[in-house]
């Protein structure tokens, strides 16, 4: 079963979704386990079935050995993310708190908890929650979120520092270039974003790489290319909020009449 899980993971990274889902089904048939349930949850999430994903991830969390606290935290944080996507903010916060109780300082739990506070309008509380763990982490997600919220609070200098730290962390992780492409597109460097996203898309056709390529094209003003790429990103039926937001922005721009030169 472990081999089929790894095979499925590889197909996911390449965007070969049918093959990935077949491998995960085979893994479940051979031996239901926390790892198998988690993969089924992710497959359902990719296809937009958030309630099905939540059910499978709950089974995964229940199957984790009680002594494996870090794994407990990871699974509970994944439950929190799904609840947040479903708009169940209070339930999501409880899941992230449960993750933190299992493994204090787990980055997914800290980031998720801060996002629930932000969703409820408590930006100051979210900043405080993230700041307490930010100095000891190189996680770009922490610094990106802190940069956004500090800018929202009007602290431009601190926001810029966290943006800088996020870029340093993203440039050191070339296994996931799509994250850097989106970051650069959001921070006024669309040409570099396009170059990085195009390079990634030469070997990977997963929906997140397609989304990064679409967003880079959009920010570079290449709307036709953006439209083609975002269609690829939406092909599984995903309800990922970032992909949907990018799709909405691209569609809105395409509906606008061209400006005469």
């Amino acid at each position: 079963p472990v081999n089929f899980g790894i095979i499925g993971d590889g197909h996911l990274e390449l965007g070969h979704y049918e093959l990935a889902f077949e491998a995960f089904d085979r893994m479940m048939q051979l031996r239901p386990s926390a790892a198998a349930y988690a993969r089924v949850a992710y497959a359902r999430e990719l296809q937009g079935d958030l309630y099905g994903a939540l059910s499978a991830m709950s089974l995964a969390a229940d199957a984790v050995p009680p002594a494996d606290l870090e794994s407990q935290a990871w699974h509970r944080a994944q439950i929190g993310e799904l609840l947040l996507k479903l708009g169940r903010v209070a339930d999501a916060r409880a899941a992230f708190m449960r993750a933190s109780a299992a493994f204090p300082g787990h980055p997914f739990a800290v980031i998720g908890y801060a996002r629930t506070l932000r969703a409820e309008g408590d930006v100051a509380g979210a900043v405080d929650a993230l700041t307490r763990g930010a100095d000891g982490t190189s996680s770009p997600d922490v610094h990106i979120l802190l940069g956004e919220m500090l800018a929202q609070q009007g602290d431009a200098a601190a926001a810029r520092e966290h943006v800088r730290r996020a870029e340093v962390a993203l440039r050191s992780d070339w296994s996931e270039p799509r994250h850097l492409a989106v970051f650069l597109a959001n921070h006024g460097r669309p040409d570099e974003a396009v170059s990085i996203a195009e390079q990634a898309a030469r070997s990977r056709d997963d929906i997140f790489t397609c989304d990064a390529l679409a967003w880079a094209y959009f920010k570079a003003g290449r709307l036709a290319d953006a439209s083609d790429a975002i269609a690829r990103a939406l092909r599984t039926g995903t309800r990922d909020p970032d992909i949907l937001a990018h799709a909405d922005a691209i569609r809105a721009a395409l509906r606008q009449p061209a400006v005469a030169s």
Side-chain angles (χ1 to χ4, degrees), residues 13 22 26 31 50 60 138 143 149 155 165 168 170-171 174 206 213 215 233 252 255 260:
E13 293 299 314
E22 288 174 7
R26 183 62 177 149
R31 186 187 303 157
L50 296 182
S138 60
H143 294 297
M149 291 190 296
D155 192 345
R165 292 172 69 176
V168 169
L170 286 167
R171 288 190 182 279
W174 276 101
D206 64 285
L213 183 61
W215 195 236
R255 287 195 296 267

Side-chain angles (χ1 to χ4, degrees), residues 130-149:
L130 281 178
T131 300
R132 279 182 271 129
D135 289 338
T137 183
S138 60
S139 169
D141 291 338
V142 169
H143 294 297
I144 289 171
L145 188 56
L146 260 176
E148 291 175 357
M149 291 190 296

Side-chain angles (χ1 to χ4, degrees), residues 10-55:
H11 283 306
L12 276 187
E13 293 299 314
L14 293 169
H16 303 162
Y17 290 110
E18 291 303 321
L19 293 172
F21 300 157
E22 288 174 7
F24 294 157
D25 285 344
R26 183 62 177 149
M27 184 184 189
M28 277 291 296
Q29 291 167 7
L30 289 170
R31 186 187 303 157
S33 63
Y37 284 125
R39 285 173 168 87
V40 169
Y42 190 48
R44 291 176 178 174
E45 182 183 355
L46 286 168
Q47 296 172 88
D49 181 8
L50 296 182
Y51 284 104
L54 180 60
S55 176

Side-chain angles (χ1 to χ4, degrees), residues 177-198:
R178 60 187 172 88
H179 295 305
L180 178 59
V182 171
F183 175 88
L184 293 171
N186 284 333
H187 289 86
R189 284 170 281 177
D191 293 339
E192 187 180 1
V194 166
S195 177
I196 291 170
E198 285 183 337

Side-chain angles (χ1 to χ4, degrees), residues 198-209:
E198 285 183 337
Q199 182 178 352
R202 291 189 188 105
S203 59
R204 296 169 64 162
D205 192 35
D206 64 285
I207 62 172
F208 300 103
T209 298

